[in-house]
Amino acid sequence: MTTAWSMGPGTYEVPLSLFAKNRERLAEKLKNGQIVVLQGGDSINHYDTDVEYVFRQESYFTWICGVREPGCYFALDVSTKKGHLFVPRLPDEYEVWMGKLLTCQQFKEIYGVEEVHYVDELQEILKQLNPELLLTLSGPNTDSGLTAKEAVFEGIDEFKVDNEILFPIIAELRVIKTPEEIEVMRYICKTSSDAHKKVMLYAKPGRMEYQCESVFLDHCYRIGGCRHVSYTCICGSGDNAAVLHYGHAAAPNCKMMHDGDMCLFDMGGNYAGYAADITCSFPANGKFTEDQKLIYEAVLAGRDAVFREARPGVKWPDMHLVANRAMLEHLKQGGLLIGDVEDMIAAGVNGVLQPHGLGHLLGLDVHDVGGYLSSCPERPAGPLARLRTARVLLAGMVLTVEPGCYFIPKLLDKAQNDPAQARFFNWEVVNRFRGFGGVRIEDDVLITENGIEDLTSVPRTVTEIEEFMADGANFK
């Protein structure tokens, strides 16, 4: 029987025990007589055409079984701890167009599950298992506002079904990563870090943002085996670096980089469903100006402050403020801000320069689940409301740490017209930065028993970046 899955030589072999352990962990939280039923993702067509989007499996379904095909169901019998995979019964014609039809036995060997049946047998098999209660998944994603897809199938109304028990349990289990999951995340963060370094070596004035994106995509797929990236790549240069979600259809990484531009490239590969999310900021010509250095080192000071203080038991909103204080203090020393840092925060100056939260949970989703479960601290009020979680840190969490400083015209104009905020800005200096764009430094970190482990490996200091872009000596 197969024991691991990979994309081929040189790519990471994901042990099937990763998914078996997840099923074990889930079963331990539930009661005998209960059966979990999850529905996987379906193939989706481009509008009314016969062309399909490249399939990507639903994350909870990946977590429980790692199955990569569309149209499947999975049942976990809590009493026996057995997994039952249900696959589509495809017509013989499938082999003509799509390749060899796999038998149930072959699926069983590929995914290491105890039982495999066809989807049209789901009702019959569940009747034989005679559950006291079927548990389906339904709950809100606090980042998207959408609800997890609840399993539905013909005949489900013949069973007693509960759609409330499962969600908080499985979402919380996804928050704390197992050693097997952490190894996959180390791999995808290393792959993504190397891809970012390739981009830094390629980037220079006269090249297009999308060309840098293509270098990242090529390395992640050709070298790392990542068919997917975790989100739309953000490749902002010059004033585009102040557009937090640049790269979308209306602004598709389509500007030429110019001498003097600061680049902000936010990109992350995806392997076996697990996400990386890394941002590198650097000058297009490889050499920082004094202004670029001021902003970059202010953001780096924020990141470093979090790295020193983050550990189990610390509240995430406190880490956001730790980063903000360090950044504001550095900008004050550089002459861009005036006054007391605590007064600046009370007035919301930190939200003018960094309108987003410090970071987010990371895992099978780039903004991973579990940020605001019912058992967790509620979303803070005021500027901290943008935080994607307010949780106390626990060992085994993986999060992004991504402080930033941006010169966003709309926010600067609003601050300049607000006496409570305007008094903290040295406007003669600030106005020099209009059109500058912004800087973000984003690392993926594992919370350990004693602090953090940085899963990201890219040049970070001004000296490291300049030396690396000059000769690539640090690239391994």
Side-chain angles (χ1 to χ4, degrees), residues 253-278:
N253 297 327
C254 57
K255 173 185 168 295
M256 181 181 287
M257 295 178 289
H258 298 291
D259 193 39
D261 278 353
M262 195 71 186
C263 298
L264 187 160
F265 288 180
D266 183 341
M267 302 179 282
N270 189 288
Y271 189 79
Y274 286 86
D277 183 4
I278 296 168

Side-chain angles (χ1 to χ4, degrees), residues 1-5 13-17 109-110:
M1 182 177 285
T2 307
T3 60
W5 170 88
E13 293 198 354
V14 180
L16 298 185
S17 60
E109 292 170 359
I110 290 168

Side-chain angles (χ1 to χ4, degrees), residues 377-391:
E378 294 183 358
R379 188 182 294 274
L384 293 182
R386 292 193 178 94
L387 284 170
R388 295 183 185 272
T389 186
R391 294 182 64 137

Side-chain angles (χ1 to χ4, degrees), residues 341-419:
V341 167
E342 292 304 321
D343 291 342
M344 293 180 202
I345 290 174
V349 170
N350 50 334
V352 174
L353 295 172
Q354 185 193 310
H356 60 76
L358 175 64
H360 49 81
L361 295 163
L362 183 69
L364 283 166
D365 294 315
V366 66
H367 298 150
D368 211 14
V369 297
Y372 290 106
L373 297 174
S374 59
S375 59
C376 300
E378 294 183 358
R379 188 182 294 274
L384 293 182
R386 292 193 178 94
L387 284 170
R388 295 183 185 272
T389 186
R391 294 182 64 137
V392 173
L393 297 182
L394 300 170
M397 287 179 170
V398 178
L399 303 100
T400 66
V401 176
E402 49 178 305
C405 180
Y406 316 88
F407 296 88
I408 301 171
K410 186 174 286 294
L411 297 183
L412 291 176
D413 292 345
K414 187 177 178 182
Q416 195 164 12
N417 292 317
D418 179 353

Side-chain angles (χ1 to χ4, degrees), residues 330-346:
H330 194 93
L331 294 174
K332 176 183 171 181
Q333 296 302 319
L336 196 143
L337 298 176
I338 306 163
D340 180 77
V341 167
E342 292 304 321
D343 291 342
M344 293 180 202
I345 290 174

Side-chain angles (χ1 to χ4, degrees), residues 71-89:
C72 298
Y73 289 76
F74 194 88
L76 174 62
D77 186 342
V78 175
S79 300
T80 63
K81 308 296 189 290
K82 277 187 177 181
H84 296 256
L85 172 62
F86 297 84
V87 299
R89 193 189 297 271

Side-chain angles (χ1 to χ4, degrees), residues 83-309:
H84 296 256
L85 172 62
F86 297 84
V87 299
R89 193 189 297 271
L90 299 169
D92 290 342
E93 192 181 44
Y94 180 95
E95 290 201 1
V96 176
W97 305 102
M98 307 298 284
K100 186 172 175 59
L101 283 167
L102 298 179
T103 66
C104 288
Q105 180 60 34
Q106 287 171 318
F107 275 110
K108 191 173 177 179
E109 292 170 359
I110 290 168
Y111 291 112
V113 296
E114 290 84 358
E115 301 289 342
V116 178
H117 320 274
Y118 291 111
V119 169
D120 56 37
E121 299 174 308
L122 179 56
Q123 180 186 8
E124 176 189 343
I125 297 298
L126 288 178
K127 279 185 177 179
Q128 292 173 13
L129 297 176
N130 193 28
E132 295 174 20
L133 191 63
L134 290 187
L135 303 182
T136 57
L137 184 70
S138 181
N141 183 302
T142 53
D143 289 301
S144 67
L146 303 175
T147 301
K149 181 181 178 181
E150 188 174 358
V152 291
F153 58 88
E154 188 175 344
I156 192 172
D157 54 351
E158 296 183 23
F159 300 90
K160 186 178 179 183
V161 179
D162 183 284
N163 68 357
E164 296 180 353
I165 292 171
L166 180 61
F167 178 78
I169 294 172
I170 194 170
E172 181 65 21
L173 287 171
R174 279 181 56 182
V175 170
I176 306 300
K177 306 302 188 283
T178 64
E180 291 86 350
E181 289 179 302
I182 290 167
E183 288 305 313
V184 180
M185 297 198 72
R186 282 200 180 99
Y187 172 78
I188 188 54
C189 290
K190 174 65 164 60
T191 297
S192 299
S193 295
D194 287 350
H196 269 283
K197 290 191 277 190
K198 286 282 183 71
V199 170
M200 292 173 73
L201 296 179
Y202 175 83
K204 66 178 182 180
R207 288 188 165 151
M208 303 294 290
E209 294 165 339
Y210 68 79
Q211 291 177 307
C212 294
E213 176 184 9
S214 74
V215 170
F216 182 87
L217 297 174
D218 172 71
H219 181 90
C220 285
Y221 201 176
R222 183 171 55 85
I223 304 300
C226 304
R227 194 172 196 194
H228 302 284
V229 286
S230 293
Y231 51 94
T232 303
C233 292
I234 299 169
C235 296
S237 63
D239 60 351
N240 290 334
V243 182
L244 298 181
H245 287 168
Y246 183 70
H248 56 84
N253 297 327
C254 57
K255 173 185 168 295
M256 181 181 287
M257 295 178 289
H258 298 291
D259 193 39
D261 278 353
M262 195 71 186
C263 298
L264 187 160
F265 288 180
D266 183 341
M267 302 179 282
N270 189 288
Y271 189 79
Y274 286 86
D277 183 4
I278 296 168
T279 305
C280 293
S281 296
F282 55 90
N285 63 11
K287 186 73 175 175
F288 284 83
T289 66
E290 287 303 308
D291 280 351
Q292 289 172 340
K293 183 177 178 181
L294 169 63
I295 305 307
Y296 186 88
E297 290 189 333
V299 176
L300 187 63
R303 186 208 75 151
D304 291 348
V306 175
F307 275 27
R308 288 192 297 270
E309 297 196 26

